[in-house]
Amino acid sequence: MTGGECVFCDIVRGRAEASVVHEDDATVAFMDLRPVTPGHLLVIPKAHAQGLEDLDVTLGTRVWSAAHRLGRALRGSGLRCEGVNLFLADGKAAFQEVFHVHLHVLPRFAGDGFRIDADWKVRERDELDENAAAVRAGLARLP
């Protein structure tokens, strides 16, 4: 993918502005342009990967490690942070809007207004066991 097609690749190459808070040889973290709360960060791999299917496992580990460290840093930053959510949207159905893997690091506090709404009802064990079997089958097909 070329720089003009991916704003996050443009950020990595210095062709687009970003308020960078962390950078290493594999990842960059910067402030979200539309933050849910003050301090809302995005952590991305420098190498373009559209989604989890394209993301090298080692690189994914580096993204997660950077997000973990930044989540801890938010607590000592002076920004309001009573908790932290890590959120990754993989695919359009999951609300991914920029198709370059990015892990949101969201400082949270009571009354911040951020919600993920779903049908959180308890499921029957048979349904859970069936779904677990499907995921195990998916794992078996991975290289």
Side-chain angles (χ1 to χ4, degrees), residues 23-102:
E23 183 170 3
D24 60 34
D25 63 315
T27 67
V28 178
F30 49 90
M31 306 308 298
D32 192 304
L33 193 57
R34 295 180 295 155
V36 171
T37 56
H40 179 172
L41 304 168
L42 300 177
V43 182
I44 67 168
K46 285 185 173 181
H48 184 83
Q50 181 170 319
L52 290 175
E53 191 68 25
D54 309 312
L55 184 63
D56 173 78
V57 172
T58 302
L59 187 52
T61 301
R62 297 283 302 272
V63 169
W64 180 268
S65 179
H68 177 204
R69 183 173 165 85
L70 290 162
R72 292 176 57 220
L74 281 167
R75 292 203 181 246
S77 70
L79 295 171
R80 191 166 179 196
C81 182
E82 299 166 8
V84 175
N85 277 130
L86 301 180
F87 179 79
L88 189 144
D90 180 40
K92 190 172 184 175
F95 306 111
Q96 185 177 7
E97 294 177 351
V98 177
F99 290 90
H100 182 126
V101 170
H102 54 287

